Amino acid sequence: MNDERARIPFHRPSIGEEEIAAVTAVLRSGWLTSGAECARFEEELAAFVGARHAVAVSSCTAALHLALEAAGVRRADRVLVPTFTFAATAEVVAHLGAQPVLVDCEPRTLNLDVRAAERIASELEAGRTVPGVAVPGPAAAIVPVHYAGQMADVDGVGLIARRHGLRVIEDAAHALPAFARVPVSSEGGEQTRWRSVGTTAEQTCFSFYANKTITTGEGGMLVTNDAELAARARSMSLHGLSKDAWSRFAAHGSWDYQIVAAGHKYNLTDLAAALGRAQLKKAAGFAQARAEIAARYRELLGAVDELELPEVSPDRVSAWHLYVARLRLERLAIDRAAFVEELGRAGIGVSVHWRPLHLHAYYRDRYALKPGDFPVASAEWARCISLPIFPGLTERELERICNVVKDLSRRHARARAARG
């Protein structure tokens, strides 16, 4: 098929001979489920981000569930969650019988608005209601999300957590690798230093879904510096088995085990871990490729008046999991749905990240939420489009995407007089 007519997918995984060889070796080993490969993957991922402990699991959703449980979140607790996130961030709160308390996003990065979170935490602590919460009471935890790969205001979240006694679990499904410049105290006064995602919260949860920087097909990881939290998450990830039960099938293991809690089936397989280990060796290169594509998008689309392109703060290094452009709808004669449809007809795979939680039927109806409760998220999601960004995206493909975007913007631009 002619390159100019072939569909450009939203994502294409970067899998090489190294990954194939690693998975084949596990298939030939006779040990397929959680074992030595998982243990090595945990060690290598922890070292990569600078954490002491890591627990490999079946998804980031599983990691979030385990992290909240290990942190002591229980039935009827309240957990602050951004409304501008994927369903997993809040649904794990509901699985524990707790209540997700939604927080609006800030307009520039679309990350959690820490001022709004501070306000909500204070209202709950004072016994006052907030949108979606009929019975007030102090919050127990907060789950910031690093949207599109740019880390949220981790310093601001930390301040809120200390003021209100909140446990912090970061949803870093988009953010590997990513970095934030944060303030640190020293004898010479206030200074700053770069910190990696995975080191700025009590627990951090990663995703290795097919379209992430590194993939295991399906999979995730919980990292922490707290040995007790790691041990609890590890036990609960496999039916609540006692610690010594993990090695019961190894040569030095014991057949005996105890169930210490009603756990889950969240363990990762050695097949997936082998793939992840091979991918992790390439993670820095993958991240650099994504950053270069993001820079090219800015070069090629920066002059399009009908688009607002994403920016990275000077105190952040983004993983560029997503490239989210925002349509300036007041300058266009069509809406986002029509724009996306035309991109699709032109053979460009795009997506939207995300419909805010309060606009989904479950959260809207269960918690009596309205679009006006979270005005920034309600307005911004209506103009977001995610353009393809992955290491294998060629220059020809990228130029074609940009040419189509520019052509659509030009053809559907409102006359300047009509813009008001």
Side-chain angles (χ1 to χ4, degrees):
M1 184 180 290
N2 187 297
D3 284 349
E4 295 306 313
R5 298 185 61 189
R7 180 171 179 78
I8 300 172
F10 179 67
H11 178 75
R12 189 164 55 229
S14 298
I15 302 295
E17 291 303 318
E18 302 89 345
E19 288 85 350
I20 294 169
V23 172
T24 301
V26 172
L27 288 171
R28 288 175 172 155
S29 73
W31 188 279
L32 305 183
T33 188
S34 304
E37 284 295 312
C38 277
R40 295 186 190 107
F41 189 29
E42 290 171 344
E43 292 169 2
E44 290 163 4
L45 193 285
F48 185 80
V49 300
R52 293 194 184 98
H53 307 283
V55 181
V57 290
S58 55
S59 67
C60 186
T61 306
L64 288 165
H65 193 181
L66 294 169
L68 286 163
E69 197 278 340
V73 172
R74 298 293 183 263
R75 184 168 297 279
D77 281 346
R78 297 154 195 84
V79 179
L80 303 187
V81 172
T83 190
F84 206 77
T85 187
F86 184 60
T89 316
E91 73 188 16
V92 293
V93 178
H95 291 334
L96 289 165
Q99 177 172 354
V101 180
L102 303 187
V103 182
D104 209 348
C105 60
E106 59 94 11
R108 194 176 66 83
T109 67
L110 303 181
N111 276 320
L112 178 134
D113 186 333
V114 294
R115 289 177 296 181
E118 168 70 40
R119 190 164 57 249
I120 289 170
S122 297
E123 293 289 292
L124 291 173
E125 206 167 68
R128 291 188 285 269
T129 60
V130 297
V133 181
V135 181
I142 183 169
V143 188
V145 176
H146 304 313
Y147 179 74
Q150 181 168 194
M151 290 179 70
D153 182 358
V154 292
D155 186 51
V157 169
L159 288 173
I160 294 169
R162 289 191 290 276
R163 285 176 189 151
H164 300 280
L166 307 180
R167 308 299 288 269
V168 181
I169 293 96
E170 289 180 4
D171 182 338
H174 289 185
L176 183 71
F179 302 87
R181 189 186 288 277
V182 297
V184 293
S185 298
S186 68
E187 292 183 1
E190 194 77 6
Q191 296 182 356
T192 63
R193 68 183 176 95
W194 287 101
R195 292 186 65 182
S196 169
V197 65
T199 66
T200 57
E202 186 177 50
Q203 299 181 81
T204 304
C205 302
F206 295 102
S207 171
F208 307 131
Y209 183 65
N211 65 352
K212 298 304 193 293
T213 302
I214 69 168
T215 184
T216 59
E218 295 276 1
M221 191 84 76
L222 182 159
V223 303
T224 180
N225 285 335
D226 189 310
E228 290 187 7
L229 290 173
R232 176 67 179 185
R234 187 178 303 284
S235 173
M236 293 296 285
S237 74
L238 193 59
H239 303 298
L241 291 174
S242 56
K243 182 179 179 181
D244 58 349
W246 278 83
S247 61
R248 69 191 189 280
F249 295 123
H252 62 279
S254 169
W255 59 269
D256 196 16
Y257 65 92
Q258 290 286 332
I259 299 294
V260 298
H264 311 279
K265 187 67 168 69
Y266 283 162
N267 58 303
L268 192 70
T269 68
D270 266 17
L271 283 168
L275 176 56
R277 292 183 67 208
Q279 289 266 290
L280 186 59
K281 291 180 175 67
K282 304 176 180 180
F286 287 162
Q288 180 61 33
R290 287 173 176 269
E292 289 171 0
I293 292 168
R296 284 293 286 146
Y297 270 132
R298 178 157 288 278
E299 290 173 10
L300 296 172
L301 296 177
V304 179
D305 288 340
E306 293 75 23
L307 288 182
E308 180 181 338
L309 301 181
E311 293 184 7
V312 175
S313 302
D315 59 356
R316 295 290 186 271
V317 174
S318 177
W320 286 112
H321 166 59
L322 299 174
Y323 193 86
V324 181
R326 283 181 266 182
L327 303 177
R328 291 189 168 111
L329 295 172
E330 74 282 2
R331 302 182 182 185
L332 288 165
I334 59 173
D335 62 10
R336 192 261 312 280
F339 200 97
V340 168
E341 186 177 339
E342 292 207 28
L343 282 169
R345 282 203 295 267
I348 310 299
V350 296
S351 190
V352 173
H353 297 84
W354 299 279
R355 182 190 301 272
L357 296 181
H358 69 280
L359 299 181
H360 284 284
Y362 172 78
Y363 295 94
R364 181 194 66 212
D365 298 342
R366 181 175 178 82
Y367 301 112
L369 295 168
K370 305 182 296 296
D373 291 331
F374 309 97
V376 177
S378 295
E380 294 304 319
W381 98 277
R383 62 194 196 97
C384 289
I385 57 169
S386 296
L387 299 176
I389 184 167
F390 53 87
L393 189 69
T394 68
E395 176 66 18
R396 177 175 289 186
E397 288 174 324
L398 195 149
E399 289 179 357
R400 183 176 146 208
I401 293 165
C402 293
N403 286 338
V404 172
V405 170
K406 286 189 283 190
D407 178 63
L408 289 177
S409 300
R410 181 175 59 252
R411 286 194 290 111
H412 296 293
R414 289 181 184 271
R416 290 191 179 273
R419 294 179 183 178

